[in-house]
Structures are given as C-alpha cells and as structure tokens.
Amino acid sequence: MKCILSSGFILAIVHCIIVQVFAKATKIIFFLGTMVKYFACVGLLRSSWDQVCMAFWQRYPNPYSNHVLTEDIIFREVTHGNCLVSRRLLTKTNRAPRWMEKYLPVTMARLAYIIEDSIVDPQARTMTTLTWNISHARMMSVEERCEYRMNPDNPSWTEINREAWISSNLYGLSRAVQEFGLARFKTSVTKTMKGFEYVLAKMQGETPSRTLAEHATDRARETALAAKEKAKDLASQAQKKQQFV
C-alpha cells in the first residue's frame, strides 16, 4: 500500500533522519548518569564503493546473518541534493545470556528490533548509517555509526569507519551488561564483514569463501571418519590377539 504524504511532512521526516544520523551518535555520550562503553574500528573491503553500496541493500540473507529474520522499509526518499535517505526496521534473534533472561519477558529475551537510518551521497561518495535497538533499550542500548567511503590509498577499495556506544541503566548490573554487549558487538562486526565479503563475491560472479559452519562440518566429518577407522584397527587387533590365545 502506497501512502501519499504532503511535501512538508516528507521534508520534516528527511530532516529528522539527517539530524539523527549526523548528530545522535555524538550526543549519546552525554546521557546524564549513564556509563557508556565506546568502541571504534576501521574495516576494509576490497571492492569499489559502488559495489559495496549495492551489496549493502542485498546483504540479507547470507550464511553469517542467520539471526536476521526480517527487514522492512519504513521510509525512503531522494532529497533535492540527490541523496538517498532511508529508514528500515530489522528484526533479529537476540538470545540473552542465561543470567539475564530471568529479568526479561520470554519474547523480549529472544527477539530484538533495530532501527537503521542511512544516507547515501553519490556526489561525495559516502554512505552513513546509524542503527540502534528499540527493544529492551533501558536494559542495554547499542548505537552504531558507520561511514563507508573510498579508501584513500586505493580508490577501488572501500573503507568503513565504525563507532559504537553501549550503555545500560540496569542498576547493579550495568557494567556486566555493557561488557556483554561490547563482546557481542565485536563478534557481530566480524560476522558483518564476512557477510559483506560473501555477498560481494556472489555479486561479482566469484565463488564465495566457505562459511565457518561448512568448515566446522567438514572437520567434524574428518574427525568422525578418523575415529571410525581407528576403531576398526583396534577391533582388528583385538581379534588377532584372540586368535593367538
């Protein structure tokens, strides 16, 4: 169903999203009475900025994002400056640690709802995204800001500058919750980069690198086969000993 909105209302939404993407991430650290864990890193994808932008919208599903259940576009608009402004709602599985589950309703302990705002500027060749959780945010809030731009040393590669802020208002457990959130976020970054590489390889007609699950399955099969062969050898040796007794 297509909604017809007034131009003034659309401009108000666009302005709101732009302000959030470029200002909200810098304001979170000033929350009064809230301790915040800060994390920053730089990632590199060996693909052009155009290819990475295309992959960004096609990165789900991939073998590294099985936790992403749905993605819905809430708003999308091209501004007068030819920038693409979007807001999406993502639904993800979010299994909390056992010690935390007792503080959450069953549905909240297993699902997380994420808002993702993005601005793609084809002239400046930058894409800026801001994501944050709207479910059980009082217990733990995770805000991430990413900027995708051409790598200055190699224009055919794309550089991702990533920042994250993890906070918690859970009295008495805020530090533990923040440590847990930071550790999970770092793991998520690794999977995100692997997922990007997988989708980019498929887009470029290459054979994607094998997933961790596939490698683990192969190792398990090899281990099981080796154990089976060893068991056969031991059984054969036991039979020979019995023959000479």
Side-chain angles (χ1 to χ4, degrees):
M1 181 180 295
K2 184 176 181 180
C3 297
I4 300 176
L5 304 174
S6 66
S7 59
F9 184 69
I10 291 176
L11 289 175
I13 295 177
V14 172
H15 175 73
C16 178
I17 294 176
I18 291 175
V19 169
Q20 286 177 330
V21 170
F22 290 102
K24 188 173 182 180
T26 59
K27 291 180 179 178
I28 185 175
I29 59 176
F30 297 110
F31 284 170
L32 294 177
T34 303
M35 295 292 293
V36 177
K37 285 283 185 181
Y38 175 75
F39 174 77
C41 67
V42 178
L44 192 64
L45 292 169
R46 299 185 179 185
S47 297
S48 68
W49 181 83
D50 298 275
Q51 292 171 330
V52 170
C53 284
M54 291 177 62
F56 178 82
W57 305 111
Q58 303 177 40
R59 68 190 191 280
Y60 304 130
N62 68 71
Y64 300 93
S65 67
N66 294 327
H67 63 295
V68 180
L69 303 179
T70 62
E71 51 179 342
D72 299 284
I73 298 174
I74 299 176
F75 174 81
R76 179 163 285 171
E77 177 71 10
V78 177
T79 68
H80 293 297
N82 203 32
C83 293
L84 177 64
V85 179
S86 304
R87 169 167 286 185
R88 299 198 300 172
L89 173 66
L90 307 177
T91 306
K92 303 181 180 181
T93 58
N94 188 42
R95 181 64 182 269
R98 291 183 179 179
W99 62 266
M100 191 187 295
E101 286 185 350
K102 62 182 180 181
Y103 298 101
L104 299 172
V106 175
T107 54
M108 289 180 65
R110 304 189 183 277
L111 292 179
Y113 299 98
I114 313 295
I115 293 293
E116 174 196 85
D117 284 350
S118 62
I119 298 178
V120 181
D121 187 340
Q123 295 183 348
R125 302 187 73 77
T126 61
M127 177 170 64
T128 305
T129 66
L130 177 65
T131 59
W132 70 95
N133 60 301
I134 57 175
S135 54
H136 45 86
R138 289 186 178 181
M139 179 164 289
M140 182 174 69
S141 173
V142 180
E143 294 207 21
E144 177 191 46
R145 183 181 186 275
C146 294
E147 186 178 63
Y148 300 74
R149 59 173 59 249
M150 290 189 298
N151 178 257
D153 298 323
N154 189 338
S156 62
W157 291 359
T158 304
E159 185 176 284
I160 306 174
N161 292 284
R162 189 185 311 271
E163 295 179 285
W165 295 262
I166 299 98
S167 60
S168 173
N169 289 322
L170 189 61
Y171 180 76
L173 294 173
S174 60
R175 187 180 297 274
V177 172
Q178 289 174 15
E179 292 291 348
F180 164 77
L182 181 58
R184 173 172 283 187
F185 181 82
K186 290 179 179 179
T187 301
S188 176
V189 169
T190 301
K191 291 182 178 180
T192 298
M193 295 300 289
K194 290 288 186 181
F196 252 122
E197 292 169 355
Y198 182 92
V199 173
L200 285 164
K202 289 190 68 176
M203 286 175 51
Q204 297 167 15
E206 300 174 1
T207 303
S209 59
R210 307 194 67 193
T211 66
L212 296 175
E214 289 171 335
H215 282 298
T217 300
D218 284 349
R219 285 197 298 268
R221 287 175 180 171
E222 292 172 359
T223 302
L225 182 60
K228 186 177 181 180
E229 293 297 326
K230 186 174 182 179
K232 285 182 179 179
D233 290 340
L234 292 174
S236 177
Q237 293 176 10
Q239 287 179 355
K240 289 179 179 179
K241 290 181 179 179
Q242 288 179 355
Q243 292 176 357
F244 287 104
V245 173

